[in-house]
């Protein structure tokens, strides 16, 4: 009986308190404008300039913001406000991240293969290149996209380097 009375008292206190949103719409909107939109713009600029390092950096920053920072949109009072913020900021950011996930994975593979070639690990580089070629096939039509065309060119250049190093390795003098 005492537990029921205590529960009622606690419940009454909760109901009497005014519900205050954790974050105002203005604060969440400012977060989207000041954080999410500049990252998307940075991705677009890097994409236009074929700047893969900046593209990868901004992609990872955007991914971190989508995992941690966009929680602020769910702390805004009112379902309509939340939906508006998510549609304005989070949804375009998720689309941009999804669009760049495969190309950046391939780019990171290119970087790994170049590191293997620097250490003269041609066999490992050739295996990794074979996997990259399969990923390139998943890109689809790359002719109308400058970024993807550049990526395919990078992979083809790597393939030439590997083939050249493979053919040269047969002619290396063997030291005893």
């Amino acid at each position: 009986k005492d537990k029921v009375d205590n529960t009622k008292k606690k419940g009454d206190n909760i109901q009497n308190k005014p519900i205050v949103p954790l974050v105002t719409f203005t604060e969440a909107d400012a977060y989207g404008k000041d954080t999410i939109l500049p990252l998307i713009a940075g991705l677009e600029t890097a994409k236009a300039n074929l700047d893969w390092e900046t593209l990868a950096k901004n992609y990872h920053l955007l991914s971190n913001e989508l995992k941690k920072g966009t929680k602020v949109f769910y702390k805004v009072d009112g379902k309509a406000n939340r939906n508006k913020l998510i549609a304005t900021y989070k949804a375009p950011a998720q689309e941009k991240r999804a669009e760049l996930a495969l190309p950046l994975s391939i780019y990171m593979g290119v970087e790994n293969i170049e590191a293997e070639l620097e250490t003269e690990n041609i066999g490992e580089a050739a295996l990794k290149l074979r996997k990259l070629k399969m990923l390139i096939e998943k890109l689809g039509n790359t002719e109308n996209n400058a970024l993807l065309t550049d990526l395919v060119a990078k992979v083809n250049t790597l393939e030439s380097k590997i083939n050249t190093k493979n053919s040269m390795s047969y002619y290396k003098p063997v030291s005893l």
Side-chain angles (χ1 to χ4, degrees):
K1 197 172 184 178
D2 289 333
K3 289 182 182 178
V4 173
D5 290 337
N6 286 339
T7 308
K8 285 183 182 177
K9 288 178 186 174
K10 288 179 184 175
D12 289 341
N13 288 340
I14 292 172
Q15 291 174 356
N16 292 334
K17 291 182 180 178
I19 298 174
V20 178
L22 298 173
V23 177
T24 66
F25 177 83
T26 308
E27 291 170 336
D29 190 49
Y31 166 78
K33 286 179 185 171
D34 297 341
T35 306
I36 302 296
L37 291 182
L39 287 173
I40 292 174
L43 286 170
E44 287 298 323
T45 303
K47 187 176 167 183
N49 295 334
L50 302 176
D51 184 356
W52 286 97
E53 290 82 19
T54 305
L55 193 65
K57 177 185 164 200
N58 285 339
Y59 174 84
H60 291 297
L61 289 173
L62 182 65
S63 291
N64 286 335
E65 288 300 325
L66 283 171
K67 288 178 188 171
K68 298 175 185 171
T70 56
K71 292 177 184 177
V72 72
F73 298 144
Y74 295 98
K75 296 178 182 179
V76 174
D77 193 29
K79 188 174 183 175
N81 287 339
R82 280 191 294 274
N83 290 343
K84 181 179 179 184
L85 289 167
I86 289 167
T88 304
Y89 301 113
K90 188 172 183 176
Q94 287 175 324
E95 288 174 19
K96 186 58 62 182
R97 183 174 66 173
E99 171 191 329
L100 294 171
L102 183 57
L104 281 170
S105 295
I106 294 170
Y107 171 72
M108 298 310 269
V110 166
E111 293 288 310
N112 288 336
I113 291 172
E114 286 175 349
E116 293 290 346
L117 288 175
E118 285 178 13
T119 61
E120 297 294 324
N121 194 351
I122 300 166
E124 188 67 26
L127 287 174
K128 289 181 179 181
L129 179 66
R130 192 174 307 141
K131 291 177 184 177
L132 278 187
K133 295 288 261 181
M134 287 188 275
L135 289 176
I136 288 282
E137 290 175 12
K138 291 182 180 183
L139 288 175
N141 187 7
T142 61
E143 293 175 11
N144 297 331
N145 187 326
L147 186 75
L148 298 182
T149 304
D150 183 55
L151 187 59
V152 170
K154 285 182 182 297
V155 172
N156 290 338
T157 302
L158 273 179
E159 186 174 26
S160 297
K161 284 181 184 177
I162 289 172
N163 289 337
T164 302
K165 286 194 181 241
N166 262 339
S167 65
M168 290 175 64
S169 66
Y170 294 117
Y171 302 110
K172 286 184 181 176
V174 177
S175 60
L176 299 175

